[in-house]
Amino acid sequence: MLILGIETSCDETGIALYDNALGLLGEALHSQVALHNEYGGVVPELASRDHIRRVVPLIRQTLNQAQRTLADLDAVAYTAGPGLAGALLVGASVAESLAMALKIPALPIHHLEGHLLSPLLGDNPPAFPFVALLVSGGHTQFMSVEGAGQYRLLGETVDDAAGEAFDKTAKLLGLPYPGGPALAQLATTGHPQRFALPRPMQHSGDLNLSFSGLKTAVSLLIKTHGSAAHADIAASFEAAVVEVLCSKALQALRQTGLKQLVVAGGVGANKQLRAALTSQLARHGATVAFPPLHLCTDNGAMIAYAGALRCLEQGIEALPTHQGFAVYPRWPLATTRGQTPPGV
Ligand code: KG4
Ligand code: ZN
């Protein structure tokens, strides 16, 4: 069974082909970082227009790379939300049109479900059940994952997402968009213990998190110490985020009695976070799995894979072909399959 995956929720056009028996057959990604760079963040209208330019050529390129044609497809999976409405509509319209023309099912996929399942595309995929830590630019949450489609929210950020905190702090430090990787790079040259930044909600007793206070603390430090301290501030900020995420991750495992953590989303690419989780969980007899580095940030492979699992689970014959479609810019990750997404 061959699934085409299309991701256009934000600033990356991601396309992939996943075969249930053979695995990932082809992938293509176009990042809009250069396009949005001069604005210091994603400009939604520019994002949609660029997705329109890229999506069909990238589908062709991926099919050629995998030596497959449109006629070989069994279903088309696409990100239906959450994300930027106009950007989502590009992927949704292309996917639904292709599916209608080919008389195959189109599968609307939740972007976070894609991230959540992406570690299963790695070499040593974790088995269900596990605790997932989703850390992206828009979300930071702990989920208990019993199986594909069975997700229970354990706790989440009450304000900024971890990636958003990285991006906003990076902006304060004068670093280019997207700020996370740039801040992490600057932090390698700084002293993480120089500034004792707050560890918000570390001892709140629940699995919720908060990051917005950190950027206020950082802006005060910048005013007091000036640019000479930027690397130390970056390192101290990163250390604070990593420490809070590690301690809450341990708490999530204790609370659920599970022994496996799976990390997904763009901040999962952070090297300090990876190292700290790996060593601290090992000390507690638990393991941590990360997606392959290139699948941490947005990509088509995770969407194709989520679509493939849905086909296996529900049976491809049972999936409806064309019914009309909508996108869901704000869509909480459903606890089980079959829950109707809210209106746009
Ligand atoms: O999952 P993702 O690609 O897009 C969303 O769905 O949000 O995550 C992007 C986020 C951005 O906030 C970016 O700054 C952050 O992930 N990020 C990082 C690193 N690489 C990406 N944050 C910290 N360290 C990194 N190495
Ligand atoms: Zn994402």
Side-chain angles (χ1 to χ4, degrees):
M1 200 158 51
L2 186 66
I3 316 293
L4 175 69
I6 302 180
E7 154 65 39
T8 63
S9 68
C10 189
D11 58 349
E12 256 118 17
T13 318
I15 307 292
L17 276 172
Y18 185 85
D19 182 291
N20 275 338
L22 304 172
L24 213 49
L25 296 187
E27 284 180 84
L29 186 82
H30 180 265
S31 164
Q32 300 176 358
V33 163
L35 176 71
H36 301 294
N37 201 355
E38 63 177 296
Y39 304 99
V42 179
V43 184
E45 180 62 27
L46 294 183
S48 316
R49 292 184 205 173
D50 198 60
H51 285 307
I52 289 174
R53 272 194 292 275
R54 309 285 173 183
V55 66
V56 172
L58 287 180
I59 291 173
R60 285 216 179 93
Q61 179 187 322
T62 310
L63 284 166
N64 288 343
Q65 180 193 348
Q67 300 182 316
R68 297 292 192 280
T69 68
L70 286 175
D72 296 322
L73 296 180
D74 293 296
V76 186
Y78 64 95
T79 306
L84 303 170
L88 289 165
L89 277 169
V90 177
S93 347
V94 170
E96 292 279 355
S97 314
L98 264 180
M100 186 160 62
L102 298 169
K103 298 189 174 58
I104 56 178
L107 311 168
I109 301 292
H110 195 292
H111 180 77
L112 294 183
E113 179 175 28
H115 275 306
L116 200 72
L117 298 173
S118 60
L120 305 182
L121 285 164
D123 284 339
N124 295 305
F128 299 117
F130 51 75
V131 170
L133 167 59
L134 280 172
V135 266
S136 71
H139 294 84
T140 297
Q141 47 190 224
F142 286 101
M143 316 269 319
S144 156
V145 181
E146 301 297 320
Q150 294 170 41
Y151 314 120
R152 189 164 54 87
L153 184 65
L154 300 171
E156 64 184 331
T157 179
V158 297
D159 42 53
D160 291 353
E164 190 179 357
F166 265 96
D167 293 340
K168 287 178 176 170
T169 303
K171 209 168 186 172
L172 292 172
L173 292 167
L175 297 169
Y177 153 87
L183 190 151
Q185 180 58 35
L186 178 64
T188 59
T189 62
H191 298 292
Q193 274 97 38
R194 173 153 173 214
F195 298 112
L197 284 165
R199 270 55 173 161
M201 293 184 76
Q202 186 167 13
H203 304 294
S204 62
D206 56 22
L207 293 171
N208 290 335
L209 305 127
S210 162
F211 294 105
S212 71
L214 267 177
K215 65 175 187 288
T216 317
V218 163
S219 74
L220 279 174
L221 284 180
I222 292 172
K223 280 199 192 97
T224 321
H225 296 274
S227 58
H230 276 191
D232 293 344
I233 295 173
S236 304
F237 166 83
E238 189 181 45
V241 174
V242 167
E243 188 181 317
V244 172
L245 288 173
C246 281
S247 88
K248 292 277 172 167
L250 285 169
Q251 194 183 327
L253 292 171
R254 265 199 307 276
Q255 189 175 310
T256 54
L258 296 172
K259 288 282 171 206
Q260 272 192 111
L261 179 78
V262 161
V263 181
V267 185
N270 185 274
K271 293 206 178 91
Q272 295 298 329
L273 179 65
R274 287 179 167 239
L277 281 173
T278 306
S279 66
Q280 290 191 31
L281 265 61
R283 251 182 270 142
H284 289 82
T287 55
V288 57
F290 300 94
L293 214 52
H294 78 285
L295 298 182
C296 278
T297 44
D298 293 349
N299 62 85
M302 66 185 192
I303 302 302
Y305 182 64
L309 285 194
R310 189 171 310 172
C311 289
L312 280 182
E313 187 192 326
Q314 299 186 351
I316 197 155
E317 306 74 23
L319 293 166
T321 44
H322 191 70
Q323 293 186 316
F325 68 97
V327 293
Y328 310 97
R330 281 181 290 277
W331 181 12
L333 183 54
T335 48
T336 50
R337 291 250 197 276
Q339 285 195 353
T340 323
V344 184

